Amino acid sequence: MSGFSRVLGVRFNNVTHNEALDILEEFFLEDKCHCVYTPNPEIVMAARKDEEFMRILNSAELVVPDGIGVVIASKLGERLKERVAGFDLVQGLFERIKDKKRSVYFFGGAPGVALSAKSNMEKKYPGLKVVGVNDGYFDEKKEKLILDDIKNKKPDILLVGLGAPKQEKWIYKYKNQLPVKICVGVGGSFDVMSGKVKRAPKIFMKCGLEWFYRLLCQPSRFFRMLRLPLFLLVVLKEKLFG
Ligand code: UDP
């Protein structure tokens, strides 16, 4: 069992990327829906202001830090071993299941995105079984159809990419009805899988500068990103003054 590290109230599993993948494989053996979330600093800050969201995050079976800011912040307490990006975790999971019976369902993103993500991922991981896709824009009627489709297809893994906190709240609401073993909140991952959005070159990731690359590509994220230094200041303040 992994240890934990709390960052501003959010409980993270202290695991490496490979240890997280091993835990996911264990989840297949148990007959229930295991929730997996990957908060970054923005999400941690949002959870501080939203009690329900904080409870949902802390009720998950696996929570890993998708953001170098969370790893840096953890150094003031129990240090997290490394950043475990949600996108990489899902890619690692595809690699591990591609030759097995396990199936996956893509739910989220703009119309057409999940479908092109499916086609790209099935090419990249021959043998991968994506048994269903649906975009993430729905009303009550469409939501029921989506739920019925997931129940009929019974995927082992459900990836939900509605952005935070919508995806975590959606998963929490329906987890007891979902016939899946693992449900992951994947944010904008379908946009990357489909090729609509590019990930940072490896050198940026190695240096912990993926956030900077995203800022260069999407300057409109500037104000969103101001929350990162604010996040580190809040963590420091809490450590010093409680
Ligand atoms: N999205 C969706 N339904 C919604 C709102 C958002 O499917 O009602 C999708 C959106 O198309 C995008 C993702 O959710 O693919 C959110 O991406 P973002 O990069 O903002 O999420 P993050 O990874 O930062 O949580």
Side-chain angles (χ1 to χ4, degrees), residues 29-65:
L29 308 176
E30 226 183 321
D31 212 6
K32 68 171 218 177
C33 174
H34 300 81
C35 303
V36 180
Y37 304 131
T38 67
N40 58 20
E42 259 186 273
I43 294 177
V44 172
M45 291 292 271
R48 262 167 67 84
K49 297 205 177 113
D50 179 344
E51 226 177 276
E52 181 202 4
F53 186 29
M54 180 68 87
R55 246 186 302 112
I56 290 174
L57 289 177
N58 286 338
S59 71
E61 279 74 16
L62 182 65
V63 178
V64 290

PDB file of all heavy atoms in Angstrom, residues 29-65:
ATOM      1  N   LEU A  29      -8.906  -6.453 -10.376  1.00  0.00           N
ATOM      2  CA  LEU A  29      -9.221  -7.707  -9.682  1.00  0.00           C
ATOM      3  C   LEU A  29     -10.407  -7.574  -8.726  1.00  0.00           C
ATOM      4  O   LEU A  29     -10.949  -8.557  -8.264  1.00  0.00           O
ATOM      5  CB  LEU A  29      -7.989  -8.197  -8.898  1.00  0.00           C
ATOM      6  CG  LEU A  29      -6.701  -8.290  -9.723  1.00  0.00           C
ATOM      7  CD1 LEU A  29      -5.527  -8.679  -8.852  1.00  0.00           C
ATOM      8  CD2 LEU A  29      -6.880  -9.289 -10.873  1.00  0.00           C
ATOM      9  N   GLU A  30     -10.789  -6.317  -8.459  1.00  0.00           N
ATOM     10  CA  GLU A  30     -11.851  -6.095  -7.472  1.00  0.00           C
ATOM     11  C   GLU A  30     -13.118  -5.626  -8.190  1.00  0.00           C
ATOM     12  O   GLU A  30     -13.039  -4.757  -9.066  1.00  0.00           O
ATOM     13  CB  GLU A  30     -11.386  -4.990  -6.519  1.00  0.00           C
ATOM     14  CG  GLU A  30     -11.601  -5.299  -5.073  1.00  0.00           C
ATOM     15  CD  GLU A  30     -11.159  -4.090  -4.269  1.00  0.00           C
ATOM     16  OE1 GLU A  30     -10.137  -3.471  -4.626  1.00  0.00           O
ATOM     17  OE2 GLU A  30     -11.866  -3.752  -3.322  1.00  0.00           O
ATOM     18  N   ASP A  31     -14.268  -6.187  -7.812  1.00  0.00           N
ATOM     19  CA  ASP A  31     -15.487  -5.909  -8.538  1.00  0.00           C
ATOM     20  C   ASP A  31     -16.179  -4.636  -8.060  1.00  0.00           C
ATOM     21  O   ASP A  31     -17.244  -4.686  -7.449  1.00  0.00           O
ATOM     22  CB  ASP A  31     -16.422  -7.119  -8.395  1.00  0.00           C
ATOM     23  CG  ASP A  31     -17.271  -7.260  -9.642  1.00  0.00           C
ATOM     24  OD1 ASP A  31     -17.020  -6.501 -10.600  1.00  0.00           O
ATOM     25  OD2 ASP A  31     -18.183  -8.108  -9.641  1.00  0.00           O
ATOM     26  N   LYS A  32     -15.568  -3.497  -8.311  1.00  0.00           N
ATOM     27  CA  LYS A  32     -16.217  -2.213  -7.992  1.00  0.00           C
ATOM     28  C   LYS A  32     -15.577  -1.123  -8.843  1.00  0.00           C
ATOM     29  O   LYS A  32     -14.545  -1.365  -9.487  1.00  0.00           O
ATOM     30  CB  LYS A  32     -16.071  -1.894  -6.504  1.00  0.00           C
ATOM     31  CG  LYS A  32     -14.658  -1.574  -6.039  1.00  0.00           C
ATOM     32  CD  LYS A  32     -14.684  -1.064  -4.608  1.00  0.00           C
ATOM     33  CE  LYS A  32     -13.678   0.049  -4.423  1.00  0.00           C
ATOM     34  NZ  LYS A  32     -13.618   0.669  -3.157  1.00  0.00           N
ATOM     35  N   CYS A  33     -16.214   0.046  -8.847  1.00  0.00           N
ATOM     36  CA  CYS A  33     -15.675   1.148  -9.638  1.00  0.00           C
ATOM     37  C   CYS A  33     -14.646   1.918  -8.801  1.00  0.00           C
ATOM     38  O   CYS A  33     -14.978   2.462  -7.748  1.00  0.00           O
ATOM     39  CB  CYS A  33     -16.812   2.073 -10.065  1.00  0.00           C
ATOM     40  SG  CYS A  33     -16.255   3.540 -10.902  1.00  0.00           S
ATOM     41  N   HIS A  34     -13.405   1.926  -9.258  1.00  0.00           N
ATOM     42  CA  HIS A  34     -12.328   2.652  -8.565  1.00  0.00           C
ATOM     43  C   HIS A  34     -12.147   4.007  -9.243  1.00  0.00           C
ATOM     44  O   HIS A  34     -11.936   4.054 -10.460  1.00  0.00           O
ATOM     45  CB  HIS A  34     -11.013   1.872  -8.651  1.00  0.00           C
ATOM     46  CG  HIS A  34     -11.072   0.511  -8.026  1.00  0.00           C
ATOM     47  ND1 HIS A  34     -11.594  -0.575  -8.673  1.00  0.00           N
ATOM     48  CD2 HIS A  34     -10.669   0.076  -6.810  1.00  0.00           C
ATOM     49  CE1 HIS A  34     -11.510  -1.633  -7.883  1.00  0.00           C
ATOM     50  NE2 HIS A  34     -10.962  -1.270  -6.742  1.00  0.00           N
ATOM     51  N   CYS A  35     -12.204   5.073  -8.454  1.00  0.00           N
ATOM     52  CA  CYS A  35     -12.087   6.418  -9.032  1.00  0.00           C
ATOM     53  C   CYS A  35     -10.639   6.897  -8.986  1.00  0.00           C
ATOM     54  O   CYS A  35      -9.962   6.732  -7.966  1.00  0.00           O
ATOM     55  CB  CYS A  35     -12.961   7.400  -8.261  1.00  0.00           C
ATOM     56  SG  CYS A  35     -14.677   6.891  -8.234  1.00  0.00           S
ATOM     57  N   VAL A  36     -10.208   7.487 -10.085  1.00  0.00           N
ATOM     58  CA  VAL A  36      -8.822   7.956 -10.200  1.00  0.00           C
ATOM     59  C   VAL A  36      -8.831   9.415 -10.656  1.00  0.00           C
ATOM     60  O   VAL A  36      -9.431   9.735 -11.690  1.00  0.00           O
ATOM     61  CB  VAL A  36      -8.042   7.096 -11.233  1.00  0.00           C
ATOM     62  CG1 VAL A  36      -6.603   7.576 -11.359  1.00  0.00           C
ATOM     63  CG2 VAL A  36      -8.099   5.616 -10.855  1.00  0.00           C
ATOM     64  N   TYR A  37      -8.186  10.289  -9.868  1.00  0.00           N
ATOM     65  CA  TYR A  37      -8.134  11.706 -10.223  1.00  0.00           C
ATOM     66  C   TYR A  37      -6.688  12.178 -10.238  1.00  0.00           C
ATOM     67  O   TYR A  37      -5.826  11.631  -9.535  1.00  0.00           O
ATOM     68  CB  TYR A  37      -8.935  12.556  -9.223  1.00  0.00           C
ATOM     69  CG  TYR A  37     -10.373  12.096  -9.093  1.00  0.00           C
ATOM     70  CD1 TYR A  37     -10.944  11.886  -7.834  1.00  0.00           C
ATOM     71  CD2 TYR A  37     -11.154  11.862 -10.219  1.00  0.00           C
ATOM     72  CE1 TYR A  37     -12.269  11.454  -7.709  1.00  0.00           C
ATOM     73  CE2 TYR A  37     -12.470  11.426 -10.101  1.00  0.00           C
ATOM     74  CZ  TYR A  37     -13.018  11.222  -8.847  1.00  0.00           C
ATOM     75  OH  TYR A  37     -14.303  10.784  -8.722  1.00  0.00           O
ATOM     76  N   THR A  38      -6.454  13.246 -11.024  1.00  0.00           N
ATOM     77  CA  THR A  38      -5.071  13.706 -11.198  1.00  0.00           C
ATOM     78  C   THR A  38      -5.010  15.234 -11.025  1.00  0.00           C
ATOM     79  O   THR A  38      -4.774  15.951 -11.990  1.00  0.00           O
ATOM     80  CB  THR A  38      -4.552  13.298 -12.603  1.00  0.00           C
ATOM     81  OG1 THR A  38      -5.279  14.024 -13.603  1.00  0.00           O
ATOM     82  CG2 THR A  38      -4.724  11.818 -12.879  1.00  0.00           C
ATOM     83  N   PRO A  39      -5.194  15.723  -9.790  1.00  0.00           N
ATOM     84  CA  PRO A  39      -5.247  17.176  -9.605  1.00  0.00           C
ATOM     85  C   PRO A  39      -3.913  17.889  -9.861  1.00  0.00           C
ATOM     86  O   PRO A  39      -2.843  17.375  -9.526  1.00  0.00           O
ATOM     87  CB  PRO A  39      -5.641  17.327  -8.125  1.00  0.00           C
ATOM     88  CG  PRO A  39      -6.114  15.990  -7.685  1.00  0.00           C
ATOM     89  CD  PRO A  39      -5.395  14.996  -8.535  1.00  0.00           C
ATOM     90  N   ASN A  40      -4.031  19.078 -10.455  1.00  0.00           N
ATOM     91  CA  ASN A  40      -2.884  19.982 -10.581  1.00  0.00           C
ATOM     92  C   ASN A  40      -3.119  21.124  -9.582  1.00  0.00           C
ATOM     93  O   ASN A  40      -4.141  21.128  -8.887  1.00  0.00           O
ATOM     94  CB  ASN A  40      -2.756  20.452 -12.037  1.00  0.00           C
ATOM     95  CG  ASN A  40      -4.021  21.159 -12.509  1.00  0.00           C
ATOM     96  OD1 ASN A  40      -4.827  21.616 -11.702  1.00  0.00           O
ATOM     97  ND2 ASN A  40      -4.210  21.258 -13.795  1.00  0.00           N
ATOM     98  N   PRO A  41      -2.194  22.099  -9.486  1.00  0.00           N
ATOM     99  CA  PRO A  41      -2.390  23.169  -8.498  1.00  0.00           C
ATOM    100  C   PRO A  41      -3.722  23.892  -8.640  1.00  0.00           C
ATOM    101  O   PRO A  41      -4.388  24.190  -7.641  1.00  0.00           O
ATOM    102  CB  PRO A  41      -1.222  24.118  -8.781  1.00  0.00           C
ATOM    103  CG  PRO A  41      -0.151  23.231  -9.301  1.00  0.00           C
ATOM    104  CD  PRO A  41      -0.859  22.195 -10.130  1.00  0.00           C
ATOM    105  N   GLU A  42      -4.139  24.150  -9.880  1.00  0.00           N
ATOM    106  CA  GLU A  42      -5.418  24.839 -10.104  1.00  0.00           C
ATOM    107  C   GLU A  42      -6.573  24.084  -9.466  1.00  0.00           C
ATOM    108  O   GLU A  42      -7.483  24.670  -8.877  1.00  0.00           O
ATOM    109  CB  GLU A  42      -5.694  24.828 -11.606  1.00  0.00           C
ATOM    110  CG  GLU A  42      -5.395  26.100 -12.311  1.00  0.00           C
ATOM    111  CD  GLU A  42      -5.861  25.973 -13.748  1.00  0.00           C
ATOM    112  OE1 GLU A  42      -5.054  25.488 -14.560  1.00  0.00           O
ATOM    113  OE2 GLU A  42      -7.008  26.337 -14.033  1.00  0.00           O
ATOM    114  N   ILE A  43      -6.524  22.768  -9.612  1.00  0.00           N
ATOM    115  CA  ILE A  43      -7.616  21.929  -9.096  1.00  0.00           C
ATOM    116  C   ILE A  43      -7.584  21.892  -7.571  1.00  0.00           C
ATOM    117  O   ILE A  43      -8.623  21.956  -6.908  1.00  0.00           O
ATOM    118  CB  ILE A  43      -7.528  20.517  -9.735  1.00  0.00           C
ATOM    119  CG1 ILE A  43      -7.814  20.647 -11.236  1.00  0.00           C
ATOM    120  CG2 ILE A  43      -8.476  19.535  -9.066  1.00  0.00           C
ATOM    121  CD1 ILE A  43      -7.692  19.373 -12.028  1.00  0.00           C
ATOM    122  N   VAL A  44      -6.367  21.839  -7.000  1.00  0.00           N
ATOM    123  CA  VAL A  44      -6.244  21.852  -5.535  1.00  0.00           C
ATOM    124  C   VAL A  44      -6.822  23.160  -4.991  1.00  0.00           C
ATOM    125  O   VAL A  44      -7.572  23.166  -4.006  1.00  0.00           O
ATOM    126  CB  VAL A  44      -4.759  21.681  -5.110  1.00  0.00           C
ATOM    127  CG1 VAL A  44      -4.599  21.878  -3.613  1.00  0.00           C
ATOM    128  CG2 VAL A  44      -4.233  20.307  -5.535  1.00  0.00           C
ATOM    129  N   MET A  45      -6.501  24.263  -5.674  1.00  0.00           N
ATOM    130  CA  MET A  45      -7.018  25.571  -5.228  1.00  0.00           C
ATOM    131  C   MET A  45      -8.545  25.604  -5.337  1.00  0.00           C
ATOM    132  O   MET A  45      -9.216  26.152  -4.456  1.00  0.00           O
ATOM    133  CB  MET A  45      -6.421  26.690  -6.094  1.00  0.00           C
ATOM    134  CG  MET A  45      -4.935  26.911  -5.866  1.00  0.00           C
ATOM    135  SD  MET A  45      -4.598  27.567  -4.240  1.00  0.00           S
ATOM    136  CE  MET A  45      -4.713  29.324  -4.574  1.00  0.00           C
ATOM    137  N   ALA A  46      -9.068  25.018  -6.391  1.00  0.00           N
ATOM    138  CA  ALA A  46     -10.529  24.997  -6.566  1.00  0.00           C
ATOM    139  C   ALA A  46     -11.181  24.173  -5.452  1.00  0.00           C
ATOM    140  O   ALA A  46     -12.232  24.542  -4.926  1.00  0.00           O
ATOM    141  CB  ALA A  46     -10.893  24.433  -7.934  1.00  0.00           C
ATOM    142  N   ALA A  47     -10.528  23.066  -5.073  1.00  0.00           N
ATOM    143  CA  ALA A  47     -11.096  22.189  -4.048  1.00  0.00           C
ATOM    144  C   ALA A  47     -11.121  22.874  -2.678  1.00  0.00           C
ATOM    145  O   ALA A  47     -11.986  22.605  -1.850  1.00  0.00           O
ATOM    146  CB  ALA A  47     -10.310  20.884  -3.974  1.00  0.00           C
ATOM    147  N   ARG A  48     -10.169  23.775  -2.441  1.00  0.00           N
ATOM    148  CA  ARG A  48     -10.145  24.510  -1.169  1.00  0.00           C
ATOM    149  C   ARG A  48     -11.393  25.353  -0.984  1.00  0.00           C
ATOM    150  O   ARG A  48     -11.806  25.662   0.117  1.00  0.00           O
ATOM    151  CB  ARG A  48      -8.943  25.464  -1.171  1.00  0.00           C
ATOM    152  CG  ARG A  48      -7.741  24.943  -0.446  1.00  0.00           C
ATOM    153  CD  ARG A  48      -6.551  25.798  -0.769  1.00  0.00           C
ATOM    154  NE  ARG A  48      -6.658  27.172  -0.248  1.00  0.00           N
ATOM    155  CZ  ARG A  48      -6.345  27.542   0.975  1.00  0.00           C
ATOM    156  NH1 ARG A  48      -5.901  26.646   1.814  1.00  0.00           N
ATOM    157  NH2 ARG A  48      -6.452  28.788   1.357  1.00  0.00           N
ATOM    158  N   LYS A  49     -11.946  25.773  -2.140  1.00  0.00           N
ATOM    159  CA  LYS A  49     -13.118  26.658  -2.071  1.00  0.00           C
ATOM    160  C   LYS A  49     -14.411  25.893  -2.280  1.00  0.00           C
ATOM    161  O   LYS A  49     -15.474  26.486  -2.360  1.00  0.00           O
ATOM    162  CB  LYS A  49     -12.993  27.720  -3.160  1.00  0.00           C
ATOM    163  CG  LYS A  49     -11.797  28.622  -2.968  1.00  0.00           C
ATOM    164  CD  LYS A  49     -12.033  29.960  -3.642  1.00  0.00           C
ATOM    165  CE  LYS A  49     -10.881  30.896  -3.401  1.00  0.00           C
ATOM    166  NZ  LYS A  49     -10.148  31.191  -4.596  1.00  0.00           N
ATOM    167  N   ASP A  50     -14.333  24.584  -2.458  1.00  0.00           N
ATOM    168  CA  ASP A  50     -15.522  23.800  -2.790  1.00  0.00           C
ATOM    169  C   ASP A  50     -15.460  22.503  -1.975  1.00  0.00           C
ATOM    170  O   ASP A  50     -14.802  21.538  -2.358  1.00  0.00           O
ATOM    171  CB  ASP A  50     -15.491  23.523  -4.309  1.00  0.00           C
ATOM    172  CG  ASP A  50     -16.669  22.698  -4.784  1.00  0.00           C
ATOM    173  OD1 ASP A  50     -17.348  22.076  -3.965  1.00  0.00           O
ATOM    174  OD2 ASP A  50     -16.902  22.688  -6.004  1.00  0.00           O
ATOM    175  N   GLU A  51     -16.174  22.545  -0.857  1.00  0.00           N
ATOM    176  CA  GLU A  51     -16.109  21.433   0.104  1.00  0.00           C
ATOM    177  C   GLU A  51     -16.497  20.091  -0.515  1.00  0.00           C
ATOM    178  O   GLU A  51     -15.869  19.077  -0.275  1.00  0.00           O
ATOM    179  CB  GLU A  51     -17.093  21.739   1.236  1.00  0.00           C
ATOM    180  CG  GLU A  51     -16.523  21.505   2.625  1.00  0.00           C
ATOM    181  CD  GLU A  51     -17.547  21.915   3.659  1.00  0.00           C
ATOM    182  OE1 GLU A  51     -17.602  23.126   3.974  1.00  0.00           O
ATOM    183  OE2 GLU A  51     -18.290  21.039   4.107  1.00  0.00           O
ATOM    184  N   GLU A  52     -17.556  20.146  -1.349  1.00  0.00           N
ATOM    185  CA  GLU A  52     -18.040  18.915  -1.981  1.00  0.00           C
ATOM    186  C   GLU A  52     -16.950  18.339  -2.888  1.00  0.00           C
ATOM    187  O   GLU A  52     -16.672  17.129  -2.861  1.00  0.00           O
ATOM    188  CB  GLU A  52     -19.291  19.242  -2.816  1.00  0.00           C
ATOM    189  CG  GLU A  52     -19.875  18.011  -3.494  1.00  0.00           C
ATOM    190  CD  GLU A  52     -20.746  18.345  -4.705  1.00  0.00           C
ATOM    191  OE1 GLU A  52     -20.854  19.534  -5.084  1.00  0.00           O
ATOM    192  OE2 GLU A  52     -21.294  17.386  -5.280  1.00  0.00           O
ATOM    193  N   PHE A  53     -16.294  19.207  -3.644  1.00  0.00           N
ATOM    194  CA  PHE A  53     -15.234  18.772  -4.560  1.00  0.00           C
ATOM    195  C   PHE A  53     -14.075  18.158  -3.762  1.00  0.00           C
ATOM    196  O   PHE A  53     -13.538  17.100  -4.109  1.00  0.00           O
ATOM    197  CB  PHE A  53     -14.775  19.976  -5.389  1.00  0.00           C
ATOM    198  CG  PHE A  53     -13.779  19.664  -6.477  1.00  0.00           C
ATOM    199  CD1 PHE A  53     -13.748  18.419  -7.102  1.00  0.00           C
ATOM    200  CD2 PHE A  53     -12.872  20.644  -6.903  1.00  0.00           C
ATOM    201  CE1 PHE A  53     -12.833  18.138  -8.112  1.00  0.00           C
ATOM    202  CE2 PHE A  53     -11.958  20.372  -7.906  1.00  0.00           C
ATOM    203  CZ  PHE A  53     -11.936  19.125  -8.510  1.00  0.00           C
ATOM    204  N   MET A  54     -13.714  18.809  -2.645  1.00  0.00           N
ATOM    205  CA  MET A  54     -12.632  18.294  -1.791  1.00  0.00           C
ATOM    206  C   MET A  54     -12.982  16.891  -1.279  1.00  0.00           C
ATOM    207  O   MET A  54     -12.157  15.974  -1.301  1.00  0.00           O
ATOM    208  CB  MET A  54     -12.420  19.257  -0.618  1.00  0.00           C
ATOM    209  CG  MET A  54     -11.335  18.863   0.363  1.00  0.00           C
ATOM    210  SD  MET A  54      -9.680  18.968  -0.356  1.00  0.00           S
ATOM    211  CE  MET A  54      -9.258  20.678  -0.060  1.00  0.00           C
ATOM    212  N   ARG A  55     -14.224  16.716  -0.844  1.00  0.00           N
ATOM    213  CA  ARG A  55     -14.657  15.404  -0.335  1.00  0.00           C
ATOM    214  C   ARG A  55     -14.581  14.348  -1.431  1.00  0.00           C
ATOM    215  O   ARG A  55     -14.148  13.229  -1.203  1.00  0.00           O
ATOM    216  CB  ARG A  55     -16.087  15.507   0.206  1.00  0.00           C
ATOM    217  CG  ARG A  55     -16.157  15.287   1.702  1.00  0.00           C
ATOM    218  CD  ARG A  55     -17.564  15.238   2.262  1.00  0.00           C
ATOM    219  NE  ARG A  55     -18.328  16.456   1.990  1.00  0.00           N
ATOM    220  CZ  ARG A  55     -19.376  16.535   1.172  1.00  0.00           C
ATOM    221  NH1 ARG A  55     -19.828  15.472   0.544  1.00  0.00           N
ATOM    222  NH2 ARG A  55     -20.002  17.680   0.990  1.00  0.00           N
ATOM    223  N   ILE A  56     -14.992  14.742  -2.617  1.00  0.00           N
ATOM    224  CA  ILE A  56     -14.979  13.800  -3.748  1.00  0.00           C
ATOM    225  C   ILE A  56     -13.541  13.386  -4.067  1.00  0.00           C
ATOM    226  O   ILE A  56     -13.242  12.196  -4.229  1.00  0.00           O
ATOM    227  CB  ILE A  56     -15.670  14.434  -4.983  1.00  0.00           C
ATOM    228  CG1 ILE A  56     -17.175  14.540  -4.722  1.00  0.00           C
ATOM    229  CG2 ILE A  56     -15.372  13.649  -6.251  1.00  0.00           C
ATOM    230  CD1 ILE A  56     -17.964  15.265  -5.797  1.00  0.00           C
ATOM    231  N   LEU A  57     -12.636  14.366  -4.121  1.00  0.00           N
ATOM    232  CA  LEU A  57     -11.234  14.035  -4.423  1.00  0.00           C
ATOM    233  C   LEU A  57     -10.691  13.073  -3.365  1.00  0.00           C
ATOM    234  O   LEU A  57     -10.022  12.087  -3.681  1.00  0.00           O
ATOM    235  CB  LEU A  57     -10.364  15.298  -4.466  1.00  0.00           C
ATOM    236  CG  LEU A  57     -10.567  16.253  -5.653  1.00  0.00           C
ATOM    237  CD1 LEU A  57      -9.673  17.479  -5.494  1.00  0.00           C
ATOM    238  CD2 LEU A  57     -10.263  15.568  -6.981  1.00  0.00           C
ATOM    239  N   ASN A  58     -10.996  13.379  -2.097  1.00  0.00           N
ATOM    240  CA  ASN A  58     -10.419  12.574  -1.018  1.00  0.00           C
ATOM    241  C   ASN A  58     -11.112  11.223  -0.816  1.00  0.00           C
ATOM    242  O   ASN A  58     -10.659  10.409  -0.024  1.00  0.00           O
ATOM    243  CB  ASN A  58     -10.404  13.381   0.283  1.00  0.00           C
ATOM    244  CG  ASN A  58      -9.324  14.458   0.243  1.00  0.00           C
ATOM    245  OD1 ASN A  58      -8.362  14.340  -0.529  1.00  0.00           O
ATOM    246  ND2 ASN A  58      -9.459  15.500   1.031  1.00  0.00           N
ATOM    247  N   SER A  59     -12.182  11.002  -1.573  1.00  0.00           N
ATOM    248  CA  SER A  59     -12.848   9.696  -1.475  1.00  0.00           C
ATOM    249  C   SER A  59     -12.356   8.736  -2.568  1.00  0.00           C
ATOM    250  O   SER A  59     -12.780   7.591  -2.622  1.00  0.00           O
ATOM    251  CB  SER A  59     -14.364   9.861  -1.597  1.00  0.00           C
ATOM    252  OG  SER A  59     -14.689  10.203  -2.940  1.00  0.00           O
ATOM    253  N   ALA A  60     -11.461   9.239  -3.432  1.00  0.00           N
ATOM    254  CA  ALA A  60     -11.029   8.415  -4.573  1.00  0.00           C
ATOM    255  C   ALA A  60     -10.055   7.323  -4.146  1.00  0.00           C
ATOM    256  O   ALA A  60      -9.381   7.436  -3.124  1.00  0.00           O
ATOM    257  CB  ALA A  60     -10.371   9.303  -5.621  1.00  0.00           C
ATOM    258  N   GLU A  61      -9.996   6.284  -4.957  1.00  0.00           N
ATOM    259  CA  GLU A  61      -9.095   5.162  -4.659  1.00  0.00           C
ATOM    260  C   GLU A  61      -7.646   5.491  -5.050  1.00  0.00           C
ATOM    261  O   GLU A  61      -6.712   4.913  -4.502  1.00  0.00           O
ATOM    262  CB  GLU A  61      -9.555   3.902  -5.412  1.00  0.00           C
ATOM    263  CG  GLU A  61     -10.691   3.152  -4.737  1.00  0.00           C
ATOM    264  CD  GLU A  61     -12.049   3.828  -4.860  1.00  0.00           C
ATOM    265  OE1 GLU A  61     -12.191   4.724  -5.709  1.00  0.00           O
ATOM    266  OE2 GLU A  61     -12.964   3.454  -4.098  1.00  0.00           O
ATOM    267  N   LEU A  62      -7.470   6.377  -6.021  1.00  0.00           N
ATOM    268  CA  LEU A  62      -6.101   6.772  -6.408  1.00  0.00           C
ATOM    269  C   LEU A  62      -6.104   8.237  -6.842  1.00  0.00           C
ATOM    270  O   LEU A  62      -6.901   8.643  -7.687  1.00  0.00           O
ATOM    271  CB  LEU A  62      -5.604   5.879  -7.567  1.00  0.00           C
ATOM    272  CG  LEU A  62      -4.169   6.136  -8.058  1.00  0.00           C
ATOM    273  CD1 LEU A  62      -3.139   5.810  -6.983  1.00  0.00           C
ATOM    274  CD2 LEU A  62      -3.858   5.333  -9.324  1.00  0.00           C
ATOM    275  N   VAL A  63      -5.196   9.018  -6.228  1.00  0.00           N
ATOM    276  CA  VAL A  63      -5.060  10.440  -6.578  1.00  0.00           C
ATOM    277  C   VAL A  63      -3.574  10.720  -6.793  1.00  0.00           C
ATOM    278  O   VAL A  63      -2.761  10.496  -5.898  1.00  0.00           O
ATOM    279  CB  VAL A  63      -5.613  11.346  -5.446  1.00  0.00           C
ATOM    280  CG1 VAL A  63      -5.432  12.817  -5.797  1.00  0.00           C
ATOM    281  CG2 VAL A  63      -7.083  11.059  -5.194  1.00  0.00           C
ATOM    282  N   VAL A  64      -3.224  11.162  -8.002  1.00  0.00           N
ATOM    283  CA  VAL A  64      -1.800  11.416  -8.289  1.00  0.00           C
ATOM    284  C   VAL A  64      -1.605  12.861  -8.743  1.00  0.00           C
ATOM    285  O   VAL A  64      -2.533  13.474  -9.274  1.00  0.00           O
ATOM    286  CB  VAL A  64      -1.259  10.426  -9.359  1.00  0.00           C
ATOM    287  CG1 VAL A  64      -1.169   9.027  -8.797  1.00  0.00           C
ATOM    288  CG2 VAL A  64      -2.081  10.462 -10.635  1.00  0.00           C
ATOM    289  N   PRO A  65      -0.409  13.420  -8.513  1.00  0.00           N
ATOM    290  CA  PRO A  65      -0.194  14.843  -8.796  1.00  0.00           C
ATOM    291  C   PRO A  65       0.149  15.119 -10.260  1.00  0.00           C
ATOM    292  O   PRO A  65       1.232  14.805 -10.721  1.00  0.00           O
ATOM    293  CB  PRO A  65       1.017  15.188  -7.909  1.00  0.00           C
ATOM    294  CG  PRO A  65       1.773  13.914  -7.788  1.00  0.00           C
ATOM    295  CD  PRO A  65       0.787  12.788  -7.896  1.00  0.00           C
TER     296      PRO A  65
END
